[in-house]
Amino acid sequence: MSSLFRSEEMCLVQLFFQTESAHNCISELGHLGLVQFKDLNPGVAAFQRRFVKEVKKCEEMERILSKKSTFEKLEQELREINRNHAALRQNLIELMDIDSLLRMTEDFFEEAESLLTYSEPPSEDSVFIAGVIKQERFPAFEKVLWRLFHGNFVLRHTEMQATEELQARGAVKKDVFIIFVQGDHVREKIRKVCEGFRASLYSCPKTLYERKQMSNSVMTQMEDLRMILRRTEEYRAGVLTRAAEHVQEWGSKVKKMKAIYYTLNLCNIDITQKLIVAEIWCPVSDLTLVQSALIKGSEQSGSSVTPVLNRIQTQQTPPTFNRTNTFTEGFQAIIDAYGVGTYLEINPAPYTIVTFPFLFAVMFGDCGHGLVMTLFAVWVISQAESLRKWKNEVLNDVVIGGRYIILLMGMFSIYTGLIYNDCFSKSFNIFGSSWCVRPMFHAHGNETLHEYHHLQLNPFVPGVYSGDPYVFGIDPVWNIASNKLSFLNSFKMKMSVILGVSHMLFGVALSLVNFVHFRKFQDIFLQFVPQLIFMLSLFGYLIFLILYKWCITLRSETAPSILLLFINMMLFDYQSEHVLLYRGQKGVQIFLVLTAVLMVPVLLLVKPFLIYRTRMKTRHQVGEKDHFICFLLQVSMGDIFVYQAIHTIEFCLGCISNTTSYLRLWALSLAHAELSEVLWRMVLQVGLKISSGMGSLMLVVLFAAFAVLTVTVLLIMEGLSAFLHALRLHWVEFQNKFYEGSGYKFTPLSFDSLLKTQQ
Amino acid sequence: MPSLLFCGPKLAACGIVLSIWGVIMLSMLGIFFSAKSAVLIEDVPFTEEDIRDDKNPPQKIYGLYNQVGINCFIAAAIYVGVGAVSLCQVRLNKRQEYMVT
């Protein structure tokens, strides 16, 4: 039966399957997440295993697909594409310049020809130079030319028509110019000037026919370029979208393959190379599921032979498997952090679900803070999926993994806050206080009230104490009493001792369940019973004294101190002037101490003695010549005695030290209450005490400071501190009464957890 | 119109949480002060003369209680304003997020 009370029964199963179907079968088992593969080749080093090459290939692919290098590759490709794109655009711009140049110069040439036909005959060395220059540089360009050639040239220029394309890309305005000069030697000079002004020059053919041809070729070139640019942009967009989709997929596929090959390395391949033998641990209750997964896997691979399951008996200890759901996962994790339970040992987790938040709340005890903590936990639970994307390790593990723990801690804190009657260091008066001040002083008039600053309420004066205690929790009158701490300290210390002894007795009782399950009936009488009697007769009696003293009516001046009673009990000190709580106390106490002392030799000596007696018996039966072998096979008696002595001393002294250790419940709750009160008094009260109008503004500012300090100091710091101490109380004081914790955890091959850890 | 956004998404979310807490806690404090709760006596700014020279006890102390209570309510109202501003900031932040992506 699967439950959280004990770890599951596991079985060792041998699997036989064909080499072809191996991959699919293991993949199916990985999706199921219920089997742990045993290493059948433990002596083989990692690089000698059979599938080591495949594992290496997968690792390399993983590296290639890992984020950094994918982005590098993408980046390279994109850069190349961008470079080509830029070069093509440059070409396009040049061609467009030439095109507009050719169109503009049509007019000039007509004009020039008409001029020349009317005036001088055209000479061979009249040259013309055509080009494009930025519009803003043109005036300076013209001036320089004037100075050089003193007007012996003709310069024509027009603004280049900006097309939509160029305008959209933010190109600068350019001018087209053409210069006609006489003489060949000035060509160089003009070229140098144009270079200085960074004008681009283009060769321009003289005849109309050639110009028309050039214009056409430029047109076609431009069309081609435009098409190429469009294609490049489409290609770039396609590359980006495809890469984004596939990277995620490929990454998870590679991880799965690597896990499968790693698992195959753990198996045995038989001589004929056709069969793979694997040994797995799996829970007994899930055998049918495993079988159906294997059948599915072999069907997928198309093999005719179904895999064979063969359950085998073994002496090895199976791993410990506790079936948990999202709620119990967190609690099981904090138990396993100290030690994974031995196979089939009782699991402390289900009790921890209640006792851990409760012990936390005893140390935290404030309903206001508890409420804030609960609301925070509710928010984390509702947003758990979207918060998992945060990459912060600490936040992910602690806050999101422990969100149900935090919720329970908050809810229990509200409860203990109501019991301590503490909300941001103020008390609620819901049911009406049981104490009344007026009857104490009214009879004698008002002089007592006026004269003295500190007065005491005597409960024996009629009317002062109503006789019925406050219905639920601590009376609110204590919040404004000046001896609040004396009362609360005594109350909280006694409460801590009661809670501690109860917790430890519960731990001892759980050890009984373990003994019954493992059939160690001898240990019940030799260990469980003496331990129980020792604890009950000393510390159980202490609890009785506390509860008894709380229930009877005593005058505080003459009430005996429980601590002194206990010390005198242990020292057998019964002088006549000591006040006792009840008649016959002396006899009862002597009896209890003697019983407890008697249990110590029982724990110390009886078990080794019985082991010694059984050894003597077997030695007689076995005979003389096997003495030597028997002696070698046995642990020596000395070791057994020492082990038992250590165990007994640990338990007996541990009783006292662990009980005292539970006093941290009192210490931390006192610290929390005092911090809370200091915060109210030093921060918020300053704003409240200003009665003028400015008070509200100061209150706004001071409340913000109060809230921030509450969250950081009281919730986070004190919360972590109380969490740690409650955890320690569980791990050490509670679990050392029954828990062995020497198992190893069940780690199944599961693709879900593999992919989750990747993210 | 210049951008009204002056704080990031986290600060605005903190602002909302703080304002809700402030409104609830300060209004409850205001109610308890108006109900003249005895537990809050140390937060009321009274002096010795107030008690001694009171012609009609305890009306002076009650008056002080009421004053502090009103202060708390005004502070709660200011926090409602702070909460509204933070809510606007959160909405503007969300809108900017959508525009960029």
Side-chain angles (χ1 to χ4, degrees):
Chain A
M1 189 194 60
S2 88
S3 69
L4 206 51
F5 290 97
R6 203 181 284 281
S7 58
E8 295 232 351
E9 198 185 335
M10 311 289 281
C11 58
L12 189 61
V13 177
Q14 254 182 346
L15 293 178
F16 300 92
F17 41 97
Q18 289 186 315
T19 327
E20 301 95 53
S21 55
H23 197 96
N24 287 74
C25 287
I26 298 188
S27 166
E28 279 301 313
L29 289 177
H31 282 295
L32 197 62
L34 281 175
V35 305
Q36 174 179 346
F37 281 83
K38 242 179 76 150
D39 192 353
L40 288 177
N41 312 313
V44 180
F47 60 89
Q48 285 172 335
R49 294 192 185 248
R50 193 170 174 275
F51 291 98
V52 69
K53 264 194 305 217
E54 280 83 352
V55 174
K56 275 214 168 36
K57 249 195 303 193
C58 289
E59 275 175 358
E60 248 198 66
M61 271 188 74
E62 238 183 347
R63 266 203 309 276
I64 291 177
L65 284 171
S66 72
K67 295 227 159 152
K68 194 158 170 270
S69 55
T70 319
F71 281 154
E72 274 176 21
K73 226 181 70 150
L74 261 181
E75 200 186 1
Q76 260 181 1
E77 225 180 291
L78 279 177
R79 244 187 266 155
E80 230 183 277
I81 294 179
N82 280 343
R83 259 200 307 266
N84 290 346
H85 194 249
L88 287 174
R89 264 199 63 197
Q90 195 58 33
N91 270 355
L92 186 65
I93 291 177
E94 273 183 25
L95 286 177
M96 286 171 80
D97 289 345
I98 296 183
D99 182 48
S100 28
L101 185 81
L102 285 173
R103 268 187 270 132
M104 295 305 127
T105 53
E106 274 308 308
D107 311 329
F108 296 153
F109 277 123
E110 281 174 21
E111 195 192 323
E113 269 169 25
S114 60
L115 271 177
L116 287 173
T117 48
Y118 286 143
S119 60
E120 307 141 14
S123 53
E124 281 78 35
D125 48 338
S126 77
V127 297
F128 66 92
I129 297 174
V132 173
I133 188 175
K134 279 204 187 130
Q135 200 175 47
E136 57 200 6
R137 294 200 184 131
F138 187 76
F141 183 56
E142 202 175 348
K143 268 198 209 129
V144 167
L145 282 179
W146 264 97
R147 288 213 192 96
L148 270 183
F149 300 113
H150 308 291
N152 273 346
F153 69 103
V154 176
L155 171 69
R156 289 283 182 268
H157 75 108
T158 39
E159 195 179 314
M160 199 159 78
Q161 279 165 349
T163 54
E164 300 87 46
E165 275 179 30
L166 288 183
Q167 249 176 358
R169 297 215 174 103
V172 290
K173 290 213 177 119
K174 294 192 185 162
D175 272 5
V176 173
F177 66 89
I178 184 162
I179 311 174
F180 295 92
V181 275
Q182 298 271 13
D184 211 1
H185 57 281
V186 298
R187 195 193 285 254
E188 276 314 304
K189 270 199 206 153
I190 297 182
R191 216 174 278 276
K192 285 227 176 79
V193 172
C194 291
E195 263 175 43
F197 279 91
R198 270 190 267 274
S200 19
L201 297 175
Y202 300 104
S203 63
C204 206
K206 290 193 184 172
T207 60
L208 192 60
Y209 177 66
E210 277 173 28
R211 284 204 294 275
K212 275 247 170 348
Q213 263 201 332
M214 194 166 170
S215 180
N216 286 339
S217 79
V218 165
M219 279 293 189
T220 45
Q221 271 182 12
M222 272 183 8
E223 277 310 308
D224 287 340
L225 265 183
R226 281 207 184 96
M227 202 176 66
I228 293 178
L229 276 174
R230 252 202 319 270
R231 286 284 168 78
T232 314
E233 278 165 19
E234 279 171 20
Y235 177 65
R236 186 167 59 182
V239 160
L240 284 173
T241 41
R242 260 179 292 126
E245 280 168 14
H246 282 238
V247 161
Q248 194 75 339
E249 243 181 72
W250 289 337
S252 55
K253 272 213 186 112
V254 167
K255 259 207 144 43
K256 280 190 194 171
M257 267 195 0
K258 179 171 161 201
I260 294 179
Y261 279 121
Y262 185 76
T263 314
L264 279 174
N265 268 341
L266 298 174
C267 308
N268 258 340
I269 312 236
D270 86 328
I271 309 226
T272 63
Q273 297 283 331
K274 280 216 193 291
L275 210 59
I276 295 191
V277 181
E279 271 183 22
I280 55 167
W281 291 108
C282 96
V284 169
S285 43
D286 288 332
L287 270 178
T288 40
L289 279 173
V290 171
Q291 188 136 33
S292 53
L294 283 173
I295 294 178
K296 206 162 90 172
S298 65
E299 271 171 19
Q300 270 178 5
S301 69
S303 109
S304 50
V305 181
T306 51
V308 175
L309 254 86
N310 180 23
R311 184 171 169 180
I312 51 182
Q313 301 292 335
T314 173
Q315 295 292 347
Q316 300 162 0
T317 342
T320 313
F321 176 50
N322 287 305
R323 217 180 279 269
T324 53
N325 54 29
T326 11
F327 177 66
T328 52
E329 216 173 16
F331 295 100
Q332 188 66 48
I334 59 180
I335 298 285
D336 286 341
Y338 191 62
V340 180
T342 321
Y343 180 59
L344 285 187
E345 192 182 32
I346 199 158
N347 185 16
Y351 320 107
T352 310
I353 297 180
V354 172
T355 54
F356 176 75
F358 180 70
L359 287 183
F360 172 88
V362 168
M363 292 189 267
F364 199 70
D366 187 311
C367 24
H369 301 150
L371 187 66
V372 174
M373 195 179 260
T374 313
L375 291 174
F376 172 69
V378 166
W379 175 72
V380 172
I381 290 175
S382 64
Q383 303 286 319
E385 286 316 313
S386 51
L387 284 178
R388 253 185 237 277
K389 284 185 292 194
W390 283 1
K391 293 297 176 187
N392 196 342
E393 285 291 325
V394 172
L395 231 58
N396 259 340
D397 280 340
V398 173
V399 174
I400 299 179
R403 58 197 189 273
Y404 289 105
I405 305 183
I406 300 181
L407 176 72
L408 281 186
M409 286 177 356
M411 292 188 344
F412 276 74
S413 298
I414 299 180
Y415 170 72
T416 52
L418 287 174
I419 290 195
Y420 289 156
N421 214 348
D422 191 358
C423 176
F424 295 114
S425 84
K426 296 287 167 190
S427 294
F428 291 119
N429 186 2
I430 310 177
F431 305 104
S433 172
S434 305
W435 292 76
C436 193
V437 180
R438 189 183 295 253
M440 183 76 194
F441 305 107
H442 203 62
H444 306 285
N446 285 341
E447 300 88 34
T448 330
L449 283 175
H450 284 304
E451 285 170 43
Y452 296 101
H453 280 173
H454 278 98
L455 294 164
Q456 216 172 25
L457 295 177
N458 186 353
F460 284 112
V461 170
V464 172
Y465 180 61
S466 70
D468 304 312
Y470 192 66
V471 176
F472 184 79
I474 304 246
D475 200 303
V477 76
W478 287 108
N479 194 271
I480 45 180
S482 53
N483 59 346
K484 164 172 90 157
L485 281 182
S486 314
F487 168 70
L488 281 181
N489 283 349
S490 157
F491 163 72
K492 284 182 181 173
M493 279 203 257
K494 292 177 181 172
M495 171 199 71
S496 313
V497 168
I498 295 178
L499 286 177
V501 176
S502 320
H503 205 206
M504 289 195 289
L505 281 173
F506 180 55
V508 174
L510 284 181
S511 74
L512 174 68
V513 181
N514 265 342
F515 289 147
V516 167
H517 186 264
F518 288 119
R519 301 252 178 277
K520 291 193 198 152
F521 293 112
Q522 207 183 46
D523 273 344
I524 295 183
F525 292 108
L526 296 177
Q527 198 164 323
F528 169 70
V529 169
Q531 279 182 347
L532 196 67
I533 294 181
F534 181 85
M535 222 172 169
L536 278 178
S537 55
L538 289 180
F539 297 97
Y541 179 67
L542 180 62
I543 296 185
F544 164 74
L545 278 179
I546 295 175
L547 291 173
Y548 184 76
K549 189 177 173 192
W550 270 346
C551 292
I552 59 175
T553 316
L554 292 169
R555 300 195 75 93
S556 55
E557 302 89 24
T558 55
S561 148
I562 292 190
L563 196 59
L564 288 180
L565 279 178
F566 200 68
I567 293 176
N568 288 337
M569 169 173 126
M570 301 302 284
L571 295 177
F572 290 99
D573 184 4
Y574 296 105
Q575 294 169 0
S576 54
E577 58 265 11
H578 288 169
V579 180
L580 294 179
L581 274 180
Y582 57 93
R583 245 168 1 138
Q585 188 172 351
K586 178 171 171 183
V588 170
Q589 282 182 192
I590 294 179
F591 168 71
L592 286 175
V593 176
L594 285 179
T595 317
V597 169
L598 222 72
M599 289 298 127
V600 174
V602 170
L603 278 172
L604 192 57
L605 297 171
V606 177
K607 190 163 169 190
F609 177 68
L610 285 178
I611 293 178
Y612 180 70
R613 218 175 54 170
T614 34
R615 279 199 190 168
M616 284 294 121
K617 246 193 255 170
T618 50
R619 211 173 275 187
H620 276 245
Q621 287 169 356
V622 156
E624 287 288 329
K625 53 185 160 100
D626 297 306
H627 265 187
F628 192 58
I629 307 169
C630 288
F631 186 72
L632 281 180
L633 290 174
Q634 284 167 5
V635 182
S636 77
M637 281 313 295
D639 276 347
I640 295 183
F641 264 115
V642 168
Y643 173 77
Q644 197 64 25
I646 291 178
H647 196 82
T648 308
I649 294 176
E650 191 194 346
F651 179 76
C652 297
L653 289 183
C655 267
I656 305 175
S657 83
N658 292 348
T659 309
T660 322
S661 179
Y662 273 95
L663 283 174
R664 71 186 70 217
L665 294 174
W666 156 64
L668 262 95
S669 82
L670 177 69
H672 189 93
E674 287 305 295
L675 270 177
S676 179
E677 186 168 327
V678 159
L679 207 58
W680 181 283
R681 194 174 296 227
M682 302 261 146
V683 180
L684 207 56
Q685 203 178 69
V686 174
L688 290 171
K689 283 221 167 184
I690 305 176
S691 56
S692 66
M694 285 305 294
S696 32
L697 287 176
M698 279 297 285
L699 202 55
V700 169
V701 172
L702 285 173
F703 179 80
F706 173 78
V708 167
L709 281 172
T710 298
V711 168
T712 51
V713 171
L714 284 171
L715 285 180
I716 296 181
M717 189 186 87
E718 274 286 314
L720 278 176
S721 169
F723 181 95
L724 181 78
H725 284 285
L727 201 57
R728 174 248 153 75
L729 283 176
H730 276 78
W731 281 350
V732 177
E733 276 80 13
F734 174 59
Q735 283 179 349
N736 75 0
K737 301 287 178 290
F738 69 97
Y739 195 60
E740 225 179 296
S742 56
Y744 63 104
K745 206 168 160 70
F746 177 64
T747 42
L749 173 71
S750 161
F751 290 147
D752 292 330
S753 59
L754 207 66
L755 292 174
K756 223 189 273 185
T757 51
Q758 176 203 20
Q759 278 167 359
Chain B
M1 184 154 123
S3 162
L4 288 172
L5 200 68
F6 56 85
C7 55
K10 286 188 186 139
L11 189 58
C14 284
I16 288 190
V17 169
L18 185 65
S19 334
I20 295 178
W21 185 356
V23 167
I24 297 179
M25 187 159 164
L26 285 169
S27 47
M28 292 206 69
L29 266 182
I31 294 176
F32 286 131
F33 272 114
S34 307
K36 326 278 189 305
S37 147
V39 170
L40 294 169
I41 187 73
E42 278 149 13
D43 300 322
V44 174
F46 64 87
T47 57
E48 278 301 312
E49 292 86 35
D50 284 332
I51 302 182
R52 250 207 314 265
D53 306 333
D54 200 357
K55 298 286 180 275
N56 192 10
Q59 294 313 316
K60 200 124 183 235
I61 306 278
Y62 279 7
L64 284 172
Y65 260 108
N66 281 334
Q67 266 183 15
V68 181
I70 290 178
N71 272 349
C72 286
F73 283 127
I74 297 177
I78 296 180
Y79 266 111
V80 170
V82 170
V85 167
S86 300
L87 196 63
C88 285
Q89 293 299 309
V90 166
R91 289 237 179 90
L92 283 175
N93 267 312
K94 281 225 175 78
R95 209 184 296 167
Q96 204 180 53
E97 233 179 71
Y98 286 143
M99 270 168 46
V100 166
T101 54

